[in-house]
Amino acid sequence: MAGLRRGLPFLFALPVAGFAVLGRGDAPGSARAPEAGVADVMRAHFIDVDQADAALLEFPCGAVLVDAGGQTQASVDRLIAFLDRFFERRSDLRDTLHTDGSPPHRGVLDAVFVTHTHVDHTRGLREVVERFHVRRFVENGQRGGLREATRDPEWIVAHADSLGIVWRDVDFDELDDRTGLSDASVDPVAAGCGGTDPVLTVLGADRSERPEGWSQDEFRNKNNHSVVLRVDFGEASFLFTGDMEEDALHDLITLYDGTGLLDIDVYQFGHHGSANGTSEELVEAMSPLLAVGSMGRCDNREGRFNAWHFGHPRAPVVAVLQKAIRRRRSRVRTVFVADGVRNFRPLRMRDAIYATAWDGTVHVRATPEGRYRVTTDGPPVPEICTER
């Protein structure tokens, strides 16, 4: 499997604010010609959409969006603006003029993955689909809960044919035994432009039957049916677990024990840094080089859901990651972690752990040899996050 690592880890830290290079190991869809000067690298952009998730995966020959959430409409506007700027830079990923003479779309997304239908993962979905050409929509098919969270996925499914979207509802029973699912419906980006072929593998999805040991509440919890996505780019590897919680994570680890499929370099820490979204068992299985979390700043209390209300990221989760990740940032900064809801404290962060709440949008550049460079947009340090 591409991306399974060999050798010893190493890191280079360069004396540039918000910039670090990390690596591990020895050097070992649809075809489009890349824009002149596009290198054989992958970039993962963890977009700052406040207390929500949206990550753009940029490849030499295509692009994929994982979740399209936003804490508020302002967060969604920021997501759309980021994608606009991205396609201005990557003009090779734009549509050509339509055969009927209508204007081209601003850009093409080979797929949009929605890990699960909670509003912090779907709020901007329809706007993304209406503004850009989305070729595939991959989800777990679960509905229920807040109407504002499910209306966009339902709209896309209802209009998939007219929108030219291939809809894929992934069920756990479809995953190949202990190898996950990686076919053209979930892995649409090819290496036709001569670069490295990205490999996208779904490792977890919606379960139709309650697993042994799960309570009814755990089974009804949409978080536990999150689409889990592994992304390999040569020796580089990423893992997205959505908002999957403890029992589901334990089953995931048990299922893939001994396969190496959970052994990755870059981890988007689950459930926005919630106490139930990352476990010591999972971190041990992954042995990550660096971690990136998506959550709101503790001084941003807009909307119905915010990091202040939930207490994200939790200090014990950050501590578990710090224990495992021995790499360092190029610049130490003060961040805020939560000991509980509405209970934040400052922490001097030296380790290669990043978060949109602390760093703004986080960009991870990966080479096929498994080397990484991290840059951040760097928002102002938030005010002291205490009760007002």
Side-chain angles (χ1 to χ4, degrees):
M1 183 72 182
L4 301 184
R5 287 96 35 97
R6 303 177 298 277
L8 296 175
F10 58 90
L11 174 149
F12 297 104
L14 302 183
V16 180
F19 183 103
V21 178
L22 306 93
R24 171 181 276 171
D26 299 320
S30 57
R32 289 190 289 269
E35 184 176 333
V38 173
D40 187 23
V41 299
M42 169 189 170
R43 291 178 175 87
H45 308 276
F46 298 86
I47 304 167
D48 180 10
V49 286
D50 300 313
Q51 183 64 21
D53 263 311
L56 178 68
L57 308 182
E58 173 188 357
F59 305 104
C61 290
V64 169
L65 187 67
V66 182
D67 287 321
Q71 179 174 324
T72 62
Q73 183 58 45
S75 311
V76 173
D77 293 344
R78 196 181 310 138
L79 167 62
I80 299 299
F82 182 92
L83 293 174
D84 279 339
R85 292 192 300 271
F86 168 71
F87 285 116
E88 287 174 5
R89 174 170 63 83
R90 289 297 306 270
S91 59
D92 57 306
L93 301 183
R94 295 181 195 169
D95 266 345
T96 56
L97 190 71
H98 296 169
T99 56
D100 62 2
S102 60
H105 291 277
R106 288 188 60 95
V108 178
L109 290 167
D110 291 286
V112 173
F113 286 79
V114 166
T115 56
H116 61 296
T117 53
H118 281 160
V119 68
D120 53 333
H121 297 254
T122 65
R123 187 187 294 275
L125 188 56
R126 180 166 176 170
E127 291 191 41
V128 168
V129 169
E130 289 182 327
R131 188 165 184 85
F132 307 103
H133 180 184
V134 175
R135 289 179 165 165
R136 287 172 179 80
F137 173 50
V138 183
E139 59 153 345
N140 66 8
Q142 282 217 336
R143 299 296 182 258
L146 291 176
R147 177 64 184 153
E148 63 180 328
T150 61
R151 64 190 175 201
D152 285 7
E154 290 174 355
W155 177 82
I156 291 173
V157 172
H159 297 86
D161 289 343
S162 62
L163 293 167
I165 295 176
V166 177
W167 170 50
R168 185 68 159 90
D169 171 6
V170 183
D171 188 85
F172 185 83
D173 295 336
E174 299 177 82
L175 306 186
D176 294 332
D177 185 35
R178 288 171 57 79
T179 61
L181 175 67
S182 184
D183 60 19
S185 67
V186 301
D187 184 12
V189 185
C193 59
T196 300
D197 184 8
V199 179
L200 279 63
T201 307
V202 173
L203 300 180
D206 176 36
R207 291 177 178 264
S208 57
E209 297 183 2
R210 179 160 61 99
E212 182 179 353
W214 287 29
S215 68
Q216 281 290 353
D217 286 344
E218 289 162 339
F219 184 57
R220 292 192 193 101
N221 184 349
K222 288 201 288 187
N223 289 343
N224 288 328
H225 299 263
S226 292
V227 172
V228 176
L229 181 65
R230 175 183 173 123
V231 179
D232 290 279
F233 186 75
E235 294 295 315
S237 51
F238 296 72
L239 186 69
F240 301 83
T241 59
D243 286 358
M244 189 172 276
E245 298 182 12
E246 292 162 321
D247 281 345
L249 286 172
H250 176 75
D251 280 6
L252 185 77
I253 295 162
T254 301
L255 175 63
Y256 295 109
D257 182 41
T259 67
L261 283 171
L262 295 179
D263 183 16
I264 51 84
D265 289 341
V266 183
Y267 168 51
Q268 184 192 45
F269 48 97
H271 204 177
H272 317 284
S274 169
N276 57 24
T278 299
S279 66
E280 290 189 42
E281 182 185 27
L282 176 63
V283 173
E284 182 178 349
M286 294 186 299
S287 63
L289 279 176
L290 64 100
V292 183
S294 296
M295 77 288 294
R297 288 161 46 122
C298 53
D299 59 345
N300 178 355
R301 303 172 197 180
E302 297 180 79
R304 298 173 60 186
F305 309 108
N306 54 64
W308 173 256
H309 173 79
F310 290 115
H312 292 164
R314 289 297 173 95
V317 167
V318 174
V320 166
L321 292 169
Q322 286 181 294
K323 182 178 179 181
I325 294 174
R326 296 301 183 187
R327 288 36 184 198
R328 296 290 183 260
R329 288 168 164 255
S330 60
R331 188 173 105 183
V332 178
R333 71 174 304 168
T334 298
V335 303
F336 286 89
V337 296
D339 292 316
V341 298
R342 306 178 187 88
N343 183 15
F344 285 79
R345 60 179 168 86
L347 175 69
R348 293 288 284 171
M349 178 57 64
R350 296 176 173 82
D351 305 288
I353 302 170
Y354 301 84
T356 56
W358 311 334
D359 300 296
T361 296
V362 179
H363 312 272
V364 180
R365 179 186 186 274
T367 71
E369 295 77 28
R371 291 178 171 83
Y372 302 90
R373 184 177 69 190
V374 180
T375 56
T376 66
D377 289 352
V381 175
E383 63 186 83
I384 298 299
C385 293
T386 56
E387 188 69 76
R388 298 177 188 175

